Amino acid sequence: MGPTFDRRDRRGPRPLAAYRAAGRNPQIRTPSGRGSGRSLGAFALAVALALCPQAARSGERGLDVLAVSGYSSAVRACVDDSVPPAFCGTVAPDAYSVAIGDIDSDGHPDIAFARVSEPGQACLNDGHGLFTCAPIIGARDDQTQAVLGDFNRDGRMDVVLGASFMAGPSPPPAQICFNLGGTLVCAILDAVDYYHTDLAVGDLNGDGAPDLVTAASSTFLTPSRVCLNDGKGVFVSCADLGSPQLKDRAVALGDLDSDGDLDAVFATTTAVPDRVCLGNGSGLFACTELSEEVSNRGVDIGDVDGDGTLDLVFVGGNSTYLCPGAGDGSFPSCLPLPPETWPSWAVSLADLDGDGRPEMAFAREEEEETNRLCRFLGYAPPPGGEPLLDCQLLDPGISGLGFDVALWTPWIFQDGFESGDTSRWSSAVR
């Protein structure tokens, strides 16, 4: 399986520490030097961004961190080796969903995004943080979700575009856009023909081909679904995962019970408990409800507190939560995060500084706040108190609703999944 990137997605990659959960210690290539890119001082960077509005450039030590935000006003890329990345610029007009992956196979992270009223685009990175954007060929103008994965196993990143209720009154089909040497060309994905508000990518049945999980539309009461890939990018059929009344809003994948199979967690939009669905390695899931009954919009997975087990981070309109994992697929409690993390539309986790614990990026709903990047500092006393975070503005130079956010770093595996089967892991980026 080629490297995939789970967006919320949107979701983003999983932290390196998660691969060491339950005693696993894969042989990991650490990143090499900082890159040999051309040097740009601060003044030169400002001039470059001013003269080239579709560019964002890295600092003089090369592109080591990439954070991409989809705002109501712009797609913004922030690059550098600092945390948060220091240099931000506008890449394209607004986007509802963003994803990061190496589309042109040059070893540098590129961007794909979906928009509400125009076709999605792919933005290729020259290795120094300069992005050149072009429409995805054949993409519909009513798709609002974008995820990346090597769906036909030819070693190149493909894109799947999906639609939510925002696209219009009748459900359009999803699209799979195959990568023809850096050019993406779309075809209809007939099996994925319902409204869905999120997509996640991962090998659910151990055949080496990335599959899809959709989160349902709460507006039109369509069910969440599991769509298995035949290895050629063909999804013959999808199976419902729960009833439409569950009103799932977002989905993320990870090995929550340390058995080597991918599991799913769903965030719900109404006062219905969020769900954890443990996979059996064949594409089937057994679901249980979390104890919290809050309205959530997004979720991501990572070892936030550094204890060797995967945790859940939920975001919503009135609250955000960290649910520490027990390592067996259970989450005994969920703890509220500080007010500066909400209201949020989406969350992405990645270990940007290589310390073994992921940073958390929040796509903020309020224009005056913009997106935030937060570090976990520990729990307040007594033991088991509320999580303590250090939060900063991810991109101070922008205003607009933050619909989505994705993070990239060379410290993690780009498939993002803790399978335990080393043959299913991609190599490190550097």
Side-chain angles (χ1 to χ4, degrees):
M1 169 178 168
T4 65
F5 194 96
D6 176 16
R7 193 298 327 165
R8 151 188 223 271
D9 72 175
R10 309 184 212 198
R11 323 85 153 124
R14 310 291 180 239
L16 184 62
Y19 290 89
R20 302 193 178 105
R24 295 197 294 271
N25 187 23
Q27 298 299 311
I28 299 171
R29 288 209 316 267
T30 56
S32 62
R34 295 295 188 178
S36 56
R38 56 181 174 267
S39 175
L40 275 180
F43 176 76
L45 173 72
V47 172
L49 292 178
L51 295 178
C52 187
Q54 289 192 321
R57 287 188 180 274
S58 67
E60 48 186 33
R61 284 180 289 182
L63 179 59
D64 290 303
V65 170
L66 173 61
V68 179
S69 297
Y71 290 101
S72 59
S73 55
V75 179
R76 296 275 290 182
C78 299
V79 300
D80 193 25
D81 59 355
S82 62
V83 180
F87 304 113
C88 301
T90 296
V91 173
D94 59 286
Y96 190 79
S97 173
V98 295
I100 306 174
D102 186 6
I103 295 172
D104 56 1
S105 303
D106 65 353
H108 305 299
D110 307 307
I111 304 168
F113 61 89
R115 307 166 76 174
V116 175
S117 58
E118 296 184 36
Q121 294 192 24
C123 302
L124 302 183
N125 176 11
D126 72 347
H128 306 285
L130 176 65
F131 294 89
T132 302
C133 301
I136 298 173
I137 297 175
R140 297 170 58 104
D141 60 4
D142 51 9
Q143 308 288 26
T144 58
Q145 306 299 320
V147 290
L148 288 163
D150 182 11
F151 294 103
N152 59 0
R153 295 191 293 182
D154 65 353
R156 295 180 293 203
M157 282 285 199
D158 310 305
V159 174
V160 166
L161 300 172
S164 75
F165 69 92
M166 295 180 67
S170 59
Q175 292 182 283
I176 185 166
C177 308
F178 291 111
N179 190 335
L180 307 179
T183 300
L184 296 165
V185 179
C186 298
I188 297 298
L189 194 55
D190 290 319
V192 190
D193 57 355
Y194 288 96
Y195 283 118
H196 36 268
T197 52
D198 200 12
L199 297 170
V201 179
D203 182 6
L204 304 177
N205 57 1
D207 65 354
D211 308 302
L212 287 173
V213 179
T214 73
S217 167
S218 60
T219 301
F220 290 91
L221 294 180
T222 54
S224 296
R225 314 189 89 194
V226 176
C227 304
L228 298 181
N229 179 6
D230 71 351
K232 299 178 181 178
V234 177
F235 296 82
V236 177
S237 63
C238 299
D240 293 352
L241 187 55
S243 69
Q245 284 71 30
L246 292 171
K247 298 184 178 180
D248 298 322
R249 172 60 178 82
V251 59
L253 299 177
D255 185 7
L256 302 176
D257 55 2
S258 306
D259 66 351
D261 301 316
L262 286 181
D263 310 306
V265 57
F266 290 92
T268 59
T269 57
T270 57
V272 176
D274 301 302
R275 290 190 296 155
V276 172
C277 300
L278 301 182
N280 68 355
S282 64
L284 299 177
F285 293 83
C287 300
T288 58
E289 295 179 345
L290 291 176
S291 59
E292 299 292 332
E293 295 187 9
V294 294
S295 177
N296 289 316
R297 297 168 174 167
V299 62
D300 205 0
I301 300 171
D303 184 9
V304 173
D305 56 14
D307 67 351
T309 62
L310 293 179
D311 311 312
L312 309 178
V313 178
F314 290 98
V315 298
N318 299 313
S319 58
T320 56
Y321 286 89
L322 169 65
C323 304
D328 58 0
S330 66
F331 300 85
S333 64
C334 293
L335 306 170
L337 294 175
E340 58 261 43
T341 64
W342 55 269
S344 293
W345 281 106
V347 59
S348 181
L349 274 61
D351 183 8
L352 301 181
D353 56 10
D355 67 352
R357 293 191 303 194
E359 282 69 39
M360 295 169 278
F362 296 90
R364 297 295 309 279
E365 181 184 348
E366 297 180 348
E367 290 193 15
E368 64 272 16
E369 291 293 335
T370 71
N371 293 353
R372 299 259 180 169
L373 186 70
C374 301
R375 286 189 176 96
F376 176 82
L377 301 179
Y379 294 105
E386 293 184 359
L388 302 175
L389 303 183
D390 173 25
C391 296
Q392 305 175 59
L393 293 180
L394 178 59
D395 182 3
I398 187 69
S399 63
L401 299 180
F403 287 133
D404 197 16
V405 63
L407 302 177
W408 177 92
T409 169
W411 294 102
I412 47 78
F413 283 84
Q414 289 297 291
D415 59 11
F417 302 121
E418 302 72 55
S419 69
D421 174 5
T422 56
S423 67
R424 292 169 60 190
W425 293 340
S426 66
S427 61
V429 175
R430 294 181 183 173

